[in-house]
């Protein structure tokens, strides 16, 4: 089991990206509900194994992760390629059924969603734009804006509560990703990371989808107020022996 008495117990190979900033008891809510007066902000990652996360921003500026969707994976294995047309049908049908009356405010995603398919000129962005009736904007390219925007929300407190709140029922995979499933790869000697990009594991697409939202809504705030030199950062993430359990 990955949850025992509400705590994550699964062990993940690699250097966790968000584990130091994520606190299950603070960030996860059993009773997190959408705000009827506010629309969904959707994040998308591109096929062949698409992902979507439905979020909102509340009146205090807190980012609410309410429902996740991951296409193509069963038991942590990529078993099939899923097209955006059928995947977005599932997303909209589920959201409309689970959260009746909630509108759609904006959507962000992988810039590759704007590239035509191999069979026609239709893009994934065209599909979701038509499906939800709202513009599609690409998230920022590069991992730093996406990762640091999420980290900033995890660390930030607004009126005594975290600036990022996650539904336990709606986003179990995202919770696992934040708890340690989304990782940098390690070199064989486990003393440094293997490359600068996160591992493309079963959590990567969903975290990319969330990161595209974060890069558009929160990255400028991070640059201006928290880490003004982060755009020039070249060093590798530190391998923390405590996080790794050494």
């Amino acid at each position: 089991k990955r949850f025992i008495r509400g705590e994550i117990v699964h062990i993940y190979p690699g250097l966790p990206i968000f584990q130091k900033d994520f606190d299950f008891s603070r960030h996860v809510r059993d009773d997190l509900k959408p705000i009827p007066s506010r629309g969904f902000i959707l994040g998308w990652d591109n096929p062949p194994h698409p992902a979507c996360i439905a979020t909102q921003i509340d009146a205090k500026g807190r980012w609410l992760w309410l429902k996740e969707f991951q296409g193509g994976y069963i038991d942590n294995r990529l078993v099939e390629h899923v097209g955006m047309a059928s995947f977005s049908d599932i997303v909209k049908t589920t959201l409309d059924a689970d959260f009746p009356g909630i509108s759609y405010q904006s959507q962000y995603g992988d810039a590759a969603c704007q590239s035509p398919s191999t069979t026609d000129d239709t893009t994934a962005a065209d599909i979701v734009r038509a499906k939800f009736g709202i513009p599609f904007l690409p998230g920022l390219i590069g991992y730093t804006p996406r990762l640091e925007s999420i980290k900033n929300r995890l660390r930030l407190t607004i009126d005594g509560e975290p600036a990022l709140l996650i539904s336990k029922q709606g986003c179990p995979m995202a919770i696992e990703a934040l708890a340690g499933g989304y990782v940098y790869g390690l070199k064989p000697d486990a003393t440094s990371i293997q490359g600068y990009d996160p591992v493309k594991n079963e959590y990567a697409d969903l975290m990319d989808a969330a990161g595209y939202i974060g890069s558009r809504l929160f990255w400028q705030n991070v640059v201006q107020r928290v880490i003004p030199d982060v755009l020039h950062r070249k060093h590798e993430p530190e391998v923390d022996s405590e996080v790794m359990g050494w």
Side-chain angles (χ1 to χ4, degrees), residues 2-191:
R2 292 180 176 177
F3 284 95
I4 294 181
R5 296 178 183 175
E7 296 295 329
I8 303 279
V9 297
H10 193 69
I11 304 301
Y12 310 96
L15 176 66
I17 295 173
F18 297 117
Q19 191 179 64
K20 291 174 67 174
D21 300 303
F22 174 73
D23 182 339
F24 186 95
S25 65
R26 295 183 64 246
H27 294 107
V28 178
R29 295 287 190 273
D30 277 316
D31 58 349
L32 191 64
K33 304 295 183 185
I35 303 166
S37 61
R38 291 181 176 264
F40 280 127
I41 301 169
L42 305 178
W44 298 94
D45 198 32
N46 205 32
H49 32 98
C52 178
I53 188 161
T55 75
Q56 289 182 321
I57 306 295
D58 72 7
K60 295 180 179 180
R62 295 175 299 186
W63 193 11
L64 314 180
W65 291 12
L66 296 159
K67 187 73 173 181
E68 66 183 31
F69 300 86
Q70 175 63 64
Y73 281 101
I74 296 177
D75 294 331
N76 304 334
R77 295 180 298 109
L78 179 62
V79 295
E80 62 179 333
H81 289 185
V82 180
M84 188 60 91
S86 57
F87 182 68
S88 61
D89 278 341
I90 293 170
V91 171
K92 190 168 192 304
T93 298
T94 302
L95 291 177
D96 288 349
D98 290 354
F99 309 108
I102 303 293
S103 63
Y104 298 97
Q105 176 179 327
S106 55
Q107 53 187 343
Y108 307 91
D110 187 350
C113 288
Q114 299 178 115
S115 299
S117 72
T118 57
T119 57
D120 57 40
D121 291 334
T122 303
T123 69
D126 291 334
I127 292 170
V128 298
R129 189 182 298 115
K131 183 78 63 180
F132 292 90
I134 52 176
F136 173 93
L137 294 174
L140 299 186
I141 297 173
Y143 281 104
T144 295
R146 285 140 50 188
L147 300 181
E148 294 295 337
S149 296
I150 294 174
K151 286 181 179 181
N152 174 252
R153 292 289 108 181
L154 289 169
R155 297 166 181 161
L156 185 64
T157 299
I158 299 176
D159 287 349
E161 287 196 301
L164 174 55
L165 297 173
I166 307 159
S167 168
K168 183 177 180 180
Q169 290 75 26
C171 300
M173 199 170 181
I175 293 169
E176 286 197 48
L178 295 173
Y182 193 40
V183 298
Y184 293 111
L186 292 175
K187 293 180 179 178
D189 61 6
T191 61

